[in-house]
Amino acid sequence: MGDTRGGCCPSMDLFRSEPMQLVQLIIPIESAHRTISYLGDLGLLQFKDLNADKSPFQRTYAAQIKRCGEMARKLNFFKEQILRAGLSSKSSVSQVDINIDDLEVKLGELEAELVEINANSEKLQRSYNELLEYKLVLQKAGEFFIAAQSSAVEQQREFESRQTGGDSIEVPLLLEQESLVDQSKPVNLGFLSGLVPREKSMAFERILFRATRGNVFLKQTAVEDPVADPISGEKVEKNVFIVFYSGERAKNKILKICEAFGANRYPFTEDVGKQAQMIAEVSGKLSELKTTIDIGLLHRGNLLQTIGEHFENWNLLARKEKSIYHILNMLSLDVTKKCLVAEGWGPVFATKQIQDALQRAASDSNSQVGPIFQVLLTTEAPPTYFRTNKFSSAFQEIVDAYGVARYQEANPGVYTIVTFPFLFAVMFGDWGHGICLLLATLYFILREKKLSSQKLGDITEMAFGGRYVILMMSLFSIYTGLIYNEFFSVPFGLFGRSAYACRSPDCSDSTTVGLLKVGSTYPFGLDPVWHGTRSELPFLNSLKMKMSILLGVAQMNLGIIISYFNATFFRNSINIWFQFLPQMIFLNSLFGYLSLLIIIKWCTGSNADLYHVMIYMFLGPTEDLAENQLFPGQKNVQIVLLLLALVAVPWMLLPKPFLLKRQHEQRFQGQSYAPLPSGDDSLELDSHHDSHGHEEFEFSEIFVHQLIHTIEFVLGAVSNTASYLRLWALSLAHSELSSVFYDKVLVLSAGFNNIIILIVGIIVFIFATVGVLLLMETLSAFLHALRLHWVEFQNKFYEGDGYKFHPFSFALLDEDDD
Amino acid sequence: MGFLVTSLIFAVIGVITCFCTLICCNRGASTNLFHLTLIITATICCWMMWAIVYLAQMKPLIVPILNDSE
């Protein structure tokens, strides 16, 4: 299809998508991997999946893909470990070439080492934590015992003193016995000590009490600092407890409860001397463990550091490898099992590059047979590929967001680069705000290199991606701001003196009748005198409304003209004569005429009512225009235009379906009398397939389609023109909002003659300007400009039913995976 | 300055810009055509905007009426 170019001029960049061709590559199996790798470096071929019916496991290179997946898993594990260790995986400068097989072995070794180190350090950490808890128990419980002992000794002494002092008859005889029994009791008491999480300690105590029916004595002390739990490794607030019980059954119960509450028990002795000894022992062990753990951590850190240095390289290599095998899986194996057959779309201009890559791969891998490159003929629609640069890509994104262009269809992106920011600026006309936008986007553009490698937030990312769109928008809004003569809503007389002056020397009637135009028209933009006058709004409304219609009619005409370029390009004369021409006539005989009337009215200063003229052009075309006449012979012109518009409707509707039908019949007839195909089976199959495609001509369907299209256009001409009035509404809203912020905040606060109020006023003004005007208004004007392009402009010519070219390229790997 | 003179200035600026891009960044016929299309579209847009505002003020039907406070 690439050679069916119409027109005389050289083709324009970006106007048509690149001519594509379906190519077939036959690659010897020994050089396949290298070939695909080189093609991936080139990144200009989109492979077709020739094994679409096979599941991923049935494919040739399933095992290799699995290996790559395993490597990716290991790399992910490393990444996680590196992140957890708080190291950054910066890519090393030295690009060491490493084989994928070596890499696999190396990754395996490293993983095993790391896992072992992790297991060891975990074990060590656990025993360290246990010892730490044990030490705590020893200390706290020891304190408790010492305190208890001292009080017990005191009691004993008291008891003894009482016994010795009161050796009288009053002393009950039983007491001695009781005390004897009392003294014998502690011998049977057992006790357990340990740590329980503080939040569970209340419940723990209660359950213990209930389970043993109160036959326990529990003593708890809070540990001040959170303790690392040996099992989970997390820091938990804990209490040291010690439980006294009597009897084996109670002990078993308590043990079970301890287990259920996650309370760690530690052995403890009553003997104070032994306690001290144990504390010393535990402390010694602790410091020993500490050094061991530190050495382990250092070793692990070093290991991770070295991994981190190579990580980016390895990761890239692994992902490249995986993508190569993924592509290899899409190729079909030749019958002889010695060759792989690849099919894919590539741009015509890249033919040479692709062939070069194939040759290089063949020679580099010492293959005896070179790969075969051939172009296939197909009826399938090729993918759409625009070669954009960093400037035009954002605009192309705007168009693609609506729909990817049909193959080689005229691309509205070319005009969007200018008209989109222009229509935005019509709604955002203020050169103060334009400069603010410009500064913001210049920041992005100047720091482009730095920012593009960073991860940005969602909104910043969006603004950064559209930085060139915003640049154009800001430049145009500075221009339209100068036209509207608004700098934060303040007018400046930059281009000469105002054309208006008072009628009389004392200016008495300037507030009633108004000023008089004395000089020549203000040369560039809006006369500054209008600002703040009582008639500003009526004047601006009339101006901006008419401007919207003029701009809209111009842009819609551009859209229809592009449909003409499309028709000539695809050699479709039916579309020229029965679509482009009547559409042009219809639109211009109604709205083109309206635009003309607007201009005539401005030039002549006539008082004619254009609404009246347009309405009565339909209601009573033969009636006399009277004072609404703008030029001689207007009535006849209007009748002719009305008739033309009326004729254009059936012109659009009827002939095209009939002509298409005839065209189809001719082609079909020609085919039925064609010479019988030769014996070649595939050819016959092909032609059969072809004719099958044409047999599905249904006249009613085509006619209904044409009917819908016609109705859409006729109604659309009215509604789309009306839709352009949003330019008026939004630009009015913008200027009114900014003048409100200026008058009611800045000027008002300056009127108080108070520095604090002024500062507050300035702050409020800045925030309102940035928040409402620069952010929200930008967004809304952007969206409305987007709609005007997507709907009002593109529906005149744009099909947008193509699909995008997705070449296999290593450069695009990052975007795919994240 | 009349309507025609300023329109001419717009046209001249457009033509000069076209020549500048042709001389400064000459990157083959198709890219040049692309650049020229952009410049011409931009020039037409800017000119239209100016022309509309200029024409609307040529023979004013509404005149500025100052506010009482001023």
Side-chain angles (χ1 to χ4, degrees):
Chain A
M1 257 206 194
D3 46 8
T4 58
R5 262 165 205 289
C8 54
C9 321
S11 61
M12 192 194 329
D13 265 9
L14 214 63
F15 191 58
R16 308 263 171 217
S17 64
E18 292 296 329
M20 305 295 267
Q21 59 191 3
L22 186 64
V23 297
Q24 189 180 45
L25 310 175
I26 300 173
I27 314 164
I29 210 158
E30 67 266 20
S31 68
H33 184 275
R34 199 180 289 266
T35 309
I36 300 298
S37 154
Y38 284 5
L39 288 175
D41 285 330
L42 185 63
L44 281 171
L45 204 60
Q46 175 180 349
F47 288 93
K48 273 168 95 176
D49 192 357
L50 300 177
N51 300 323
D53 50 335
K54 284 188 187 165
S55 75
F57 305 107
Q58 292 172 322
R59 300 191 178 206
T60 329
Y61 292 95
Q64 279 87 339
I65 293 251
K66 211 169 136 193
R67 268 172 58 194
C68 291
E70 186 66 17
M71 269 157 65
R73 185 193 63 73
K74 281 171 189 164
L75 283 166
N76 264 341
F77 171 67
F78 292 152
K79 191 176 183 182
E80 218 169 79
Q81 293 287 327
I82 289 170
L83 278 181
R84 203 180 288 173
L87 299 167
S88 60
S89 60
K90 49 187 179 299
S91 55
S92 65
V93 193
S94 58
Q95 191 90 23
V96 194
D97 256 346
I98 185 168
N99 193 341
I100 191 75
D101 297 320
D102 295 345
L103 178 63
E104 195 182 7
V105 173
K106 192 157 188 181
L107 286 183
E109 282 169 4
L110 284 174
E111 196 203 15
E113 196 178 345
L114 196 58
V115 165
E116 200 185 327
I117 291 176
N118 280 352
N120 280 342
S121 78
E122 201 175 303
K123 216 186 279 172
L124 287 174
Q125 193 68 43
R126 188 168 169 169
S127 47
Y128 179 77
N129 286 343
E130 263 171 14
L131 280 176
L132 214 56
E133 286 200 334
Y134 188 23
K135 194 178 165 190
L136 276 172
V137 170
L138 283 177
Q139 283 169 345
K140 295 284 175 186
E143 277 167 26
F144 169 66
F145 262 78
I146 290 164
Q149 211 156 33
S150 61
S151 69
V153 167
E154 219 163 85
Q155 268 182 355
Q156 187 87 15
R157 202 177 294 145
E158 201 178 298
F159 180 70
E160 271 170 16
S161 68
R162 208 192 286 170
Q163 233 180 7
T164 50
D167 197 10
S168 64
I169 201 79
E170 291 147 43
V171 179
L173 281 169
L174 269 174
L175 190 73
E176 201 175 350
Q177 272 184 329
E178 268 182 9
S179 72
L180 274 174
V181 173
D182 263 342
Q183 270 171 347
S184 69
K185 246 183 186 171
V187 180
N188 298 335
L189 275 183
F191 64 90
L192 285 164
S193 59
L195 281 149
V196 66
R198 191 168 299 161
E199 56 200 19
K200 289 183 189 167
S201 61
M202 284 301 289
F204 181 63
E205 190 172 352
R206 206 172 302 138
I207 295 279
L208 272 182
F209 189 81
R210 277 187 202 156
T212 55
R213 304 201 179 142
N215 289 325
V216 285
F217 176 70
L218 179 77
K219 173 81 185 173
Q220 292 196 46
T221 350
V223 181
E224 295 82 18
D225 303 319
V227 189
D229 190 69
I231 292 157
S232 64
E234 284 166 19
K235 292 261 180 192
V236 188
E237 297 206 309
K238 286 192 171 184
N239 281 357
V240 171
F241 69 86
I242 179 156
V243 196
F244 296 90
Y245 58 86
S246 63
E248 201 60 23
R249 278 184 64 191
K251 184 185 178 184
N252 286 338
K253 273 185 191 164
I254 293 168
L255 284 178
K256 273 181 191 156
I257 292 167
C258 281
E259 229 162 83
F261 276 85
N264 304 322
R265 285 168 291 102
Y266 296 96
F268 188 76
T269 49
E270 282 173 82
D271 190 352
V272 182
K274 263 189 186 171
Q275 276 174 23
Q277 193 188 336
M278 280 184 81
I279 287 179
E281 211 171 279
V282 167
S283 302
K285 270 189 190 168
L286 269 176
S287 64
E288 222 170 83
L289 266 178
K290 183 78 189 152
T291 42
T292 322
I293 287 172
D294 282 349
I295 290 169
L297 278 179
L298 194 70
H299 182 57
R300 182 166 173 266
N302 285 340
L303 188 71
L304 286 177
Q305 191 81 42
T306 43
I307 292 175
E309 276 165 17
H310 296 287
F311 181 79
E312 287 298 321
N313 276 345
W314 290 348
N315 196 24
L316 194 67
L317 190 67
R319 276 159 68 183
K320 270 187 183 180
E321 200 64 16
K322 190 174 181 187
S323 66
I324 289 173
Y325 283 117
H326 185 67
I327 293 294
L328 281 172
N329 268 342
M330 288 171 140
L331 314 187
S332 70
L333 209 56
D334 194 49
V335 211
T336 56
K337 301 228 170 191
K338 279 183 184 159
C339 288
L340 284 168
V341 180
E343 273 180 31
W345 292 104
V348 172
F349 72 85
T351 312
K352 188 86 184 63
Q353 285 162 282
I354 291 172
Q355 277 170 332
D356 271 356
L358 293 179
Q359 285 308 327
R360 260 190 306 134
S363 63
D364 285 358
S365 53
N366 297 325
S367 160
Q368 282 120 353
V369 212
I372 298 168
F373 175 93
Q374 58 186 13
V375 178
L376 298 179
L377 289 176
T378 177
T379 50
E380 211 180 317
T384 308
Y385 174 42
F386 292 110
R387 271 195 285 177
T388 52
N389 52 24
K390 64 182 176 184
F391 175 75
S392 52
S393 62
F395 292 97
Q396 191 60 47
E397 291 283 315
I398 289 176
V399 175
D400 285 348
Y402 174 79
V404 177
R406 181 182 280 191
Y407 177 62
Q408 295 241 300
E409 178 182 31
N411 178 16
V414 176
Y415 298 97
T416 303
I417 292 177
V418 174
T419 54
F420 180 82
F422 175 69
L423 287 190
F424 169 85
V426 171
M427 296 179 267
F428 198 78
D430 189 311
W431 58 283
H433 299 152
I435 288 173
C436 292
L437 269 192
L438 182 67
L439 292 179
T441 190
L442 279 182
Y443 169 79
F444 280 131
I445 289 171
L446 293 178
R447 312 196 61 186
E448 193 172 65
K449 283 219 176 83
K450 205 170 178 189
L451 289 172
S452 58
S453 56
Q454 279 175 353
K455 279 249 175 227
L456 303 163
D458 265 352
I459 293 178
T460 331
E461 179 93 57
M462 215 154 65
F464 179 70
R467 61 197 180 279
Y468 288 104
V469 181
I470 300 176
L471 174 74
M472 293 296 281
M473 292 186 331
S474 63
L475 290 180
F476 274 106
S477 39
I478 291 172
Y479 177 80
T480 50
L482 289 172
I483 292 271
Y484 289 152
N485 212 339
E486 285 190 29
F487 177 82
F488 295 109
S489 87
V490 183
F492 282 91
L494 292 176
F495 301 98
R497 288 185 48 238
S498 166
Y500 294 89
C502 298
R503 285 164 198 266
S504 54
D506 59 342
C507 265
S508 56
D509 51 359
S510 65
T511 54
T512 48
V513 190
L515 304 173
L516 194 66
K517 190 181 173 196
V518 288
S520 56
T521 313
Y522 193 71
F524 189 86
L526 212 63
D527 203 314
V529 79
W530 286 106
H531 183 75
T533 56
R534 275 198 282 153
S535 49
E536 182 192 11
L537 217 52
F539 173 71
L540 279 187
N541 276 345
S542 136
L543 164 65
K544 287 182 174 174
M545 182 163 62
K546 285 167 182 164
M547 179 174 71
S548 311
I549 289 173
L550 290 176
L551 294 178
V553 170
Q555 200 188 17
M556 287 193 289
N557 269 311
L558 176 66
I560 300 178
I561 289 171
I562 295 176
S563 84
Y564 168 77
F565 286 130
N566 262 343
T568 48
F569 183 82
F570 293 115
R571 304 253 162 98
N572 193 341
S573 57
I574 294 181
N575 274 359
I576 297 178
W577 293 107
F578 304 102
Q579 192 161 314
F580 163 70
L581 209 59
Q583 281 185 357
M584 230 23 201
I585 288 171
F586 184 82
L587 183 71
N588 286 311
S589 61
L590 299 181
F591 294 100
Y593 177 62
L594 174 64
S595 311
L596 189 74
L597 287 185
I598 290 172
I599 292 170
I600 292 175
K601 185 176 157 162
W602 277 341
C603 290
T604 57
S606 145
N607 265 321
D609 183 2
L610 295 186
Y611 297 114
H612 190 272
V613 173
M614 285 311 284
I615 289 169
Y616 278 88
M617 183 173 162
F618 293 99
L619 295 185
T622 53
E623 277 173 34
D624 195 37
L625 285 155
E627 84 277 4
N628 284 329
Q629 178 150 345
L630 279 153
F631 56 92
Q634 191 182 357
K635 199 170 82 180
N636 295 334
V637 171
Q638 284 187 2
I639 291 172
V640 170
L641 287 176
L642 190 63
L643 285 177
L644 275 175
L646 288 181
V647 168
V649 176
W651 189 356
M652 262 183 269
L653 172 65
L654 295 174
K656 198 180 160 187
F658 288 104
L659 284 171
L660 281 178
K661 190 178 179 214
R662 209 179 66 190
Q663 218 173 42
H664 170 74
E665 274 167 2
Q666 271 173 355
R667 200 180 298 155
F668 188 67
Q669 258 178 356
Q671 220 164 47
S672 58
Y673 290 110
L676 280 171
S678 57
D680 198 332
D681 275 355
S682 66
L683 231 166
E684 192 181 32
L685 202 79
D686 268 359
S687 70
H688 188 75
H689 188 78
D690 252 324
S691 67
H692 186 72
H694 289 295
E695 262 170 352
E696 290 166 358
F697 186 87
E698 275 214 36
F699 182 72
S700 59
E701 206 174 289
I702 297 285
F703 192 81
V704 167
H705 181 259
Q706 189 63 22
L707 186 72
I708 291 170
H709 200 77
T710 310
I711 291 172
E712 198 189 318
F713 181 82
V714 171
L715 295 183
V718 183
S719 67
N720 291 352
T721 311
S723 181
Y724 274 97
L725 291 176
R726 72 185 69 232
L727 293 175
W728 161 42
L730 266 106
S731 103
L732 196 75
H734 185 86
S735 76
E736 286 301 306
L737 267 177
S738 62
S739 80
V740 162
F741 288 144
Y742 181 78
D743 290 339
K744 299 292 172 213
V745 177
L746 208 57
V747 176
L748 204 70
S749 66
F752 281 99
N753 279 331
N754 184 331
I755 192 81
I756 296 168
I757 293 180
L758 184 64
I759 289 171
V760 170
I762 288 173
I763 290 171
V764 172
F765 176 72
I766 289 173
F767 274 97
T769 305
V770 171
V772 178
L773 294 172
L774 288 178
L775 294 177
M776 281 169 63
E777 277 280 291
T778 309
L779 201 65
S780 77
F782 184 95
L783 290 177
H784 283 280
L786 201 64
R787 187 226 141 93
L788 285 178
H789 277 83
W790 279 353
V791 181
E792 275 74 29
F793 177 52
Q794 291 183 5
N795 74 4
K796 301 287 181 293
F797 64 99
Y798 193 55
E799 301 284 349
D801 55 356
Y803 65 100
K804 229 177 180 166
F805 178 56
H806 278 297
F808 166 61
S809 165
F810 292 144
L812 298 175
L813 274 183
D814 288 335
E815 295 159 26
D816 288 352
D817 273 28
D818 291 335
Chain B
M1 281 200 289
F3 179 75
L4 289 177
V5 176
T6 317
S7 298
L8 204 68
I9 293 174
F10 269 98
V12 167
I13 291 174
V15 170
I16 289 174
T17 325
C18 284
F19 276 113
C20 284
T21 43
L22 279 187
I23 293 162
C24 296
C25 34
N26 189 354
R27 295 203 200 121
S30 59
T31 313
N32 284 343
L33 186 66
F34 172 59
H35 289 160
L36 292 192
T37 312
L38 292 190
I39 292 165
I40 292 168
T41 319
T43 315
I44 291 176
C45 284
C46 291
W47 172 79
M48 265 181 81
M49 185 85 191
W50 167 83
I52 288 165
V53 173
Y54 186 89
L55 288 175
Q57 296 182 95
M58 252 188 352
K59 300 252 168 71
L61 294 175
I62 312 170
V63 291
I65 303 167
L66 296 188
N67 255 326
D68 291 332
S69 56
E70 281 178 289

